[in-house]
Amino acid sequence: MQITTERLLIRPFKQEDFPFVHAYVSDEETMHYLPEDTFTEDDTKKFIEKHSCDNPEAFPVVLLKTNEVIGHISFEKYFGKHTYEIGWIFNKMFHDNGYATEAARAMIAYAFETLNLHRVVATCQPENIASYRVMEKIGMRREGFYKQCIPYKDTWWDEYSYAILQYEYMQNKKDNKCSCRGNLN
């Protein structure tokens, strides 16, 4: 799978992605909302290796003009064969440029137009305003609030749950409520 948008390329991981990926997954601020915490060099190598396989669940997002990995999109089966979960993490140096929204829109288009999925879901902590704003920009709607559902260190995190159905995506596209651009290769 390879997806090209106006500014981005979403493709399988390569070993040479290591320095770019490690730059953000080892950063405490960037990893703040992920239960995995920061990655060691070995964790990063294992992550890239795991997702360099035939059926990856995460894909690097490459900035076309510089060819550097600026983050990644997770995209994996969630429940049954017609529902996937999407997620994203981007190097903080590239925040506030619309890259997460652009990449997530392209993956949603791929989900519904190529894979013919029924539903795509996403979650985040209520404090992660930037993440749930991306969800809303790509046409997802908030379905739930789960109080203290994720154990993290010595506390519990709350979580928002978002989703979009294929027919909602198609209606948004028809009504021009989303700009779901991208070439699916």
Side-chain angles (χ1 to χ4, degrees):
M1 187 252 336
Q2 185 168 301
I3 300 171
T4 305
T5 69
E6 184 178 323
R7 303 178 295 168
L8 307 172
L9 171 64
I10 302 168
R11 56 148 172 85
F13 274 104
K14 300 175 185 176
Q15 294 304 314
E16 54 266 27
D17 296 333
F18 174 82
F20 300 110
V21 176
H22 192 65
Y24 65 86
V25 296
S26 64
D27 179 71
E28 199 170 297
E29 184 181 342
T30 301
M31 297 294 285
H32 177 72
Y33 292 111
L34 296 176
E36 292 91 354
D37 212 2
T38 56
F39 285 23
T40 64
E41 286 189 5
D42 193 47
D43 293 335
T44 305
K45 288 176 186 172
K46 287 178 183 175
F47 174 82
I48 291 171
E49 185 177 319
K50 176 182 177 184
H51 298 292
S52 298
C53 65
D54 289 337
N55 295 307
E57 295 178 338
F59 303 88
V61 177
V62 180
L63 189 60
L64 286 172
K65 71 178 180 182
T66 62
N67 203 36
E68 62 187 304
V69 175
I70 62 171
H72 67 265
I73 293 275
S74 61
F75 188 67
E76 58 190 295
K77 287 183 182 177
Y78 182 72
F79 183 76
K81 61 182 180 180
H82 296 293
T83 300
Y84 273 58
E85 181 175 25
I86 189 173
W88 43 82
I89 182 164
F90 282 79
N91 185 318
K92 67 184 178 189
M93 304 292 290
F94 298 93
H95 288 185
D96 299 320
N97 289 293
Y99 296 133
T101 302
E102 186 173 332
R105 277 189 180 131
M107 287 302 287
I108 292 290
Y110 174 74
F112 294 128
E113 295 178 21
T114 301
L115 298 181
N116 198 31
L117 296 180
H118 173 67
R119 178 180 169 83
V120 176
V121 300
T123 62
C124 72
Q125 290 75 46
E127 298 81 16
N128 193 348
I129 297 166
S131 191
Y132 72 72
R133 283 190 178 154
V134 169
M135 294 174 201
E136 292 168 356
K137 286 177 188 176
I138 64 173
M140 299 181 104
R141 74 194 130 56
R142 189 178 304 164
E143 290 191 327
F145 171 76
Y146 303 104
K147 191 152 183 73
Q148 295 185 6
C149 66
I150 301 173
Y152 180 72
K153 296 183 180 177
D154 59 351
T155 190
W156 288 89
W157 280 349
D158 297 339
E159 186 172 67
Y160 283 152
S161 175
Y162 278 75
I164 185 170
L165 299 171
Q166 185 184 44
Y167 84 85
E168 293 170 317
Y169 163 80
M170 297 306 283
Q171 188 62 50
N172 287 342
K173 187 176 175 184
K174 180 182 165 196
D175 295 342
N176 291 319
K177 290 184 181 175
C178 71
S179 55
C180 303
R181 297 180 303 267
N183 299 316
L184 309 176
N185 302 322

